[in-house]
Amino acid sequence: MLFEVWAPDAARVRLRTGAPAPDPAGRAVPGAGEHGGTDRPMEPDPARPGWWRVSAPAGPGTRYGFVLDDGPVRPDPRSRRQPDGPEGLSAVVGDEGGPRAPWPGRGLAGAVLYELHLGTFTRAGTFDAAAGHLAHLADLGVTHVQLMPLCPFPGRHGWGYDGVAPWAVHEPYGGPAGLRRFVAAAHAHGLGVVLDVVHNHLGPSGNHLPAFGPYFTDRHHTPWGAAVNLDAPGSDEVRDYFVGSALAFLRAYDLDGLRLDAVHALADTRAEHFLARLSAAVDALAAELRRPLFLIAESDRNDPATTAPRERGGLGLHAQWNDDFHHALHTALTGEAQGYYADFARDPLAALAKTLTGGFFHDGTYSAFRGRGHGRRLDAATPAHRLVGYAQTHDQIGNRALGDRLAARLGPERSACAAALVLCGPFTPMLFMGEEWGARTPWQYFTDHPDPQLAAAVRTGRRREFAAHGWAEADIPDPQDPATRERSCLDWDEPRRPDHAWLLEWHRRLIAVRREHLDPALRLGDVSVRTGSTAEGARWLTVRHSTLLVAVNLGDAPADVPELAEGERLATTHRCAGTRLPAHAAVVLKV
């Protein structure tokens, strides 16, 4: 087997191989690799400067690592498996599961996404346990499961955004074989799978990349310290490293797309931005595999270039999260006005109307939260599916002090109004796990750092952050307490209770209406919105697009909405007499 590694500053590199990992029954697995470890000197690759290579006998499960200049043995930067965690040796990965069933893929237009954290979707926190609930998602009508990050991180439980091995899969979840089984099970239910990946930073513990080469640069700084090196000397290989990781996940696991975390933190001054290069590589892979693949960006820039075609100077990503829609909807539902909600809370219905018709609220307007103008206007011809709309995400729940969900504050009726605007609105809708039945379990920030100093720093930082906003430090959950993760696990008994079952059926109905009546080619310019309010407390809004009209009353009094007389009622939360829309009610009509 050929082993390769990029280590441009090393004078000597050795490969260390050990015994293959035992199988689950504890028996030795056949394969090469000497028990106790064997070192082999590696030779420079004459065709690729900075690369080292050597052939050695090895097979699936063989443990190995690299020794640079007589230092400690380190895991492979391109490791596909870390059976003993990020600090342990890497392991050779075989073709677990054998041949895979053909999968035609599921594209983004017409999709309904479902964001899922593997470690709290079930209490077991494994791929196999999560696969047991895929029938629920298929019956709900979602099209794609969007998995939060799966790359290895220290400890067992965490959000996944502190991963340190960008080519591997977290072993406590089930490792590479577990992910393959999960994807195969999802595909058997007709569900696509999207993976959240982090290219803008690595976690604070267990990151061995700096020992191998200039993977980071002080030329730019981010909230996590030195930036990933995308434009300084050595950046060609670093860019290839992260593009290669993305392509490897898409190809090896038959994934349908990737969600890219915080792309605004990718500092890159080169003429071809890293994201343009990545999107070109993914499009080429889609053509090779003959099935659709897509990239969804998380970006706070409100920049149309994010999803504009590369041939028009854009980055060529296929969609981006729309936090402006979330913020407008959140303020309209809750009345909250702190922090970044302040700009939207001045007139929540107007803000909601602007985002539904134009995509961005901040499209060059002044942002009081930022103290400057922000964003640019999207073209009216922009396909609406290029924006992902949601009422909740892992960030918008988990980054609250107590991790409280909307349903815990709004109750089922106003939660149903939010669902109508998300699921029958113009954007690609996304639900956060449990949202479909109004889960009351919180989703809190939790970690499992083995390093006691890092654990203490995270705990203290979290409490100080919210203390600055008036919270008592004692009220902030301890991220390191196992009970914090336990509280965040879904309660799968909830969907069977009456209030939750009603809301679940409402979500199921809305998704069915969307599937039957929404035009996948819908553009932003095809959407129209009307709003109204009364002195009695009614606050209503209608959204018209394709053949659908969505009407919601977010206020505490009934409202007369003339458009309710125009069409066939496809879904309704309340009995509506004529054009009278009750308080906290939603209606979807075919017009």
Side-chain angles (χ1 to χ4, degrees):
M1 179 175 179
L2 179 64
F3 291 87
E4 301 175 293
V5 67
W6 182 59
D9 299 326
R12 297 176 307 282
V13 181
R14 289 178 287 134
L15 168 71
R16 180 168 298 170
T17 54
D23 70 9
R27 298 182 297 267
V29 176
E34 314 293 337
H35 183 72
T38 297
D39 280 8
R40 289 177 174 83
M42 303 183 73
E43 297 295 331
D45 186 337
R48 294 187 296 168
W51 280 83
W52 301 75
R53 59 190 297 171
V54 68
S55 292
T62 297
R63 308 295 180 93
Y64 72 98
F66 299 110
V67 179
L68 311 178
D69 295 329
D70 301 321
V73 61
R74 300 180 186 276
D76 183 358
R78 285 172 168 76
S79 169
R80 300 297 185 93
R81 186 179 175 214
Q82 290 296 122
D84 301 310
E87 296 286 2
L89 291 178
S90 302
V92 175
V93 173
D95 187 19
E96 291 95 338
R100 303 193 293 271
W103 171 245
R106 295 200 72 159
L108 187 62
V112 177
L113 307 175
Y114 188 93
E115 189 182 29
L116 182 160
H117 177 262
L118 210 289
T120 50
F121 189 59
T122 66
R123 291 200 177 275
T126 66
F127 290 118
D128 291 341
H133 293 287
L134 289 173
H136 163 85
L137 301 184
D139 180 66
L140 177 62
V142 302
T143 63
H144 295 76
V145 178
Q146 182 172 299
L147 297 170
M148 288 175 61
L150 300 176
C151 293
F153 54 86
R156 178 176 178 84
H157 297 298
W159 280 20
Y161 293 95
D162 52 358
V164 292
W167 291 59
V169 179
H170 195 49
E171 197 71 15
Y173 291 162
L179 177 55
R180 286 197 180 98
R181 290 194 300 272
F182 179 87
V183 174
H187 289 172
H189 285 284
L191 298 168
V193 181
V194 182
L195 176 61
D196 194 338
V197 296
V198 184
H199 294 153
N200 54 70
H201 74 287
L202 271 73
S205 177
N207 176 13
H208 291 274
L209 291 186
F212 285 90
Y215 282 92
F216 298 87
T217 176
D218 289 329
R219 177 177 292 188
H220 310 287
H221 290 274
T222 74
W224 307 281
V228 172
N229 177 16
L230 299 176
D231 59 4
S235 58
D236 286 353
E237 292 287 355
V238 178
R239 290 155 73 98
D240 285 349
Y241 174 82
F242 285 104
V243 170
S245 168
L247 298 182
F249 270 104
L250 290 168
R251 183 191 293 275
Y253 299 102
D254 294 331
L255 301 180
D256 296 88
L258 302 174
R259 183 261 190 188
L260 309 177
D261 181 61
V263 300
H264 49 270
L266 294 169
D268 184 2
T269 60
R270 292 175 62 161
E272 181 188 39
H273 194 278
F274 166 76
L275 291 174
R277 180 168 183 181
L278 175 61
S279 70
V282 169
D283 287 348
L285 180 61
E288 175 193 337
L289 299 177
R290 298 184 180 181
R291 61 181 176 89
L293 299 172
F294 54 85
L295 298 171
I296 301 173
E298 179 198 20
S299 173
D300 75 351
R301 287 181 174 164
N302 285 20
D303 187 354
T306 302
T307 56
R310 293 184 299 278
E311 57 269 23
R312 298 214 315 257
L315 298 177
L317 304 182
H318 306 89
Q320 58 182 310
W321 278 23
N322 188 358
D323 271 354
D324 278 14
F325 171 70
H326 168 272
H327 298 345
L329 179 58
H330 187 90
T331 56
L333 290 166
T334 68
E336 291 187 12
Q338 73 276 14
Y340 48 64
Y341 292 133
D343 291 328
F344 303 84
R346 292 188 180 93
D347 190 342
L349 285 186
L352 193 50
K354 183 176 181 180
T355 61
L356 285 164
T357 54
F360 296 149
F361 176 76
H362 287 303
D363 53 7
T365 57
Y366 181 79
S367 165
F369 174 70
R370 295 173 177 85
R372 57 171 176 79
H374 183 63
R376 285 196 298 143
R377 187 184 302 273
L378 282 160
D379 191 286
T382 301
H385 78 261
R386 292 196 181 279
L387 295 173
V388 178
Y390 37 83
Q392 300 180 80
T393 70
H394 76 273
D395 271 332
Q396 302 301 340
I397 302 171
N399 285 329
R400 296 176 66 84
L402 302 181
D404 49 314
R405 295 170 178 260
L406 276 177
R409 288 170 289 150
L410 299 182
E413 292 182 338
R414 283 187 291 169
S415 295
C417 291
L421 291 172
V422 170
L423 293 172
C424 290
F427 310 133
T428 295
M430 184 178 74
L431 302 173
F432 182 69
M433 61 179 197
E435 181 179 351
E436 70 271 25
W437 71 71
R440 299 298 180 91
T441 49
W443 201 74
Q444 299 174 336
Y445 181 66
F446 53 90
T447 56
D448 186 23
H449 295 301
D451 180 347
Q453 290 185 323
L454 178 58
V458 168
R459 179 186 300 113
T460 301
R462 182 82 175 172
R463 288 177 171 170
R464 285 179 178 172
E465 174 187 357
F466 288 103
H469 297 284
W471 289 87
E473 290 193 21
D475 293 337
I476 307 304
D478 178 0
Q480 284 285 120
D481 185 348
T484 304
R485 180 259 172 184
E486 288 293 319
R487 282 191 297 271
S488 301
C489 292
L490 286 180
D491 177 0
W492 282 94
D493 288 331
E494 278 188 329
R496 292 189 285 270
R497 298 168 190 159
D499 279 357
H500 296 287
W502 174 84
L503 193 57
L504 175 59
E505 182 56 34
W506 173 248
H507 279 76
R508 188 179 290 117
R509 178 60 184 156
L510 292 177
I511 293 174
V513 167
R514 178 184 186 86
R515 182 172 58 247
E516 184 175 352
H517 295 284
L518 184 127
D519 180 3
L522 180 74
R523 301 170 302 172
L524 290 179
D526 299 329
V527 184
S528 62
V529 174
R530 290 185 59 202
T531 63
S533 61
T534 67
E536 291 76 22
R539 295 184 300 122
W540 60 269
L541 175 145
T542 63
V543 187
R544 184 190 296 266
H545 61 80
S546 299
T547 60
L548 289 179
L549 176 75
V550 183
V552 298
N553 182 1
L554 304 179
D556 297 327
D560 284 313
V561 182
E563 290 170 293
L564 291 185
E566 294 186 19
E568 173 190 355
R569 297 182 182 181
L570 301 175
T572 180
T573 58
H574 294 69
R575 294 176 62 88
C576 301
T579 61
R580 194 73 166 165
L581 185 60
H584 308 155
V587 180
V588 182
L589 300 93
K590 179 181 178 181
V591 293

